[in-house]
Amino acid sequence: MAFQNYVLFDLTNVQFIGLQNFETAFRDAKFLAALENSAYWVFFSLSLQFLIGLSIALTLRKNFRGRGIYQGFVFYSWALSGFLIGLIWKWMFNSQIGVINDLLMRTGLIETRIGFLSDPNWAMTSVIVANVWYGIAFFAIMLLAALQSVPADLYEAAEMDGAGELRKFFNVTFPYILPTVIATTLLRAIWIFNDPSIIYGLTNGGPAGTTHILSSLMLEKIIYGGDYGMASAIGVIMIIILMLYTVFYLFATKSEKAGDF
């Protein structure tokens, strides 16, 4: 379909058009903006999810009172669908009755309410915040499992060599969990890139398309335009981007040597 003029509302005119859909896509300002947004969406979502998830996993590795309750609270977001999370955060970001504006007003950080989802300057940041909250649990779960498998005698040996907490983390913990880090960041990046559910629940790509990523733009082409040819072309472009990203990522991280001391 990517090489055809295949519009649902004009099935009598379906024909092979070669690379025309791809040419049209790369001349479309909306597509180029979605391509740029996709890069921001993946980079910031993945980086913050990983860093916060790792911090939580390191905390949960220790025994403390209420650990089970805290762990359940952290993992709660992963039990919800992305679209439902988008709706929840849509209410929280609401400029009139949202809890976020209310808290910011009460603490004196802002004097007037902010339209987080209606202001183009805030919309992309807002959807990334919601996505970060959603994905933290994934990294916390996976990295906690990896951390619990690190042999205690490695830490004992490091302590005998006079290593502090920071040295133990970079010389023992991180090299040991590196295969898990590589696998989880690779998979999560692909999921984030492909999943438009939070964006659809929050902004539906608005305002004026400023929060569209490639996957949400592809859905818009199908749902509102019935343009299966253009949507398929965007899908093919996404596949190529993910293939290039995967090859580069695995080469850059030297994954075949991951975990070697």
Side-chain angles (χ1 to χ4, degrees), residues 92-109:
M92 292 173 64
F93 279 127
N94 188 282
S95 59
Q96 301 301 318
I97 59 174
V99 66
I100 294 176
N101 264 300
D102 185 59
L103 289 173
L104 292 175
M105 292 280 288
R106 289 175 183 271
T107 54
L109 294 176

Side-chain angles (χ1 to χ4, degrees), residues 155-227:
Y155 292 115
E156 293 172 4
E159 288 174 359
M160 290 178 64
D161 290 337
E165 291 298 322
L166 201 59
R167 243 182 105 192
K168 281 194 289 185
F169 174 78
F170 284 106
N171 293 342
V172 177
T173 304
F174 195 75
Y176 200 91
I177 68 171
L178 186 57
T180 302
V181 170
I182 291 174
T184 52
T185 50
L186 175 61
L187 288 173
R188 189 67 189 132
I190 293 171
W191 291 342
I192 292 171
F193 185 78
N194 282 325
D195 186 10
S197 57
I198 288 180
I199 287 178
Y200 254 82
L202 269 167
T203 64
N204 201 22
T210 55
T211 58
H212 264 314
I213 58 174
L214 290 181
S215 57
S216 64
L217 181 62
M218 180 175 65
L219 283 181
E220 183 183 80
K221 295 292 183 183
I222 294 172
I223 296 171
Y224 298 106
D227 193 343

Side-chain angles (χ1 to χ4, degrees), residues 2-4 15-22:
F3 303 97
Q4 299 180 53
Q15 57 182 308
F16 179 80
I17 57 173
L19 298 174
Q20 187 175 322
N21 282 325
F22 296 92

Side-chain angles (χ1 to χ4, degrees), residues 19-76:
L19 298 174
Q20 187 175 322
N21 282 325
F22 296 92
E23 293 174 4
T24 302
F26 281 103
R27 290 174 182 169
D28 183 5
K30 198 171 186 179
F31 171 84
L32 296 175
L35 184 62
E36 184 179 355
N37 284 344
S38 296
Y40 288 124
W41 170 253
V42 173
F43 177 77
F44 288 106
S45 295
L46 183 67
S47 301
L48 293 172
Q49 286 176 10
F50 172 73
L51 291 173
I52 299 172
L54 177 60
S55 302
I56 291 173
L58 290 169
T59 302
L60 291 176
R61 185 177 56 167
K62 304 172 183 177
N63 288 319
F64 56 88
R65 176 177 279 185
R67 179 173 175 268
I69 297 174
Y70 181 66
Q71 188 170 333
F73 177 75
V74 170
F75 296 164
Y76 167 73

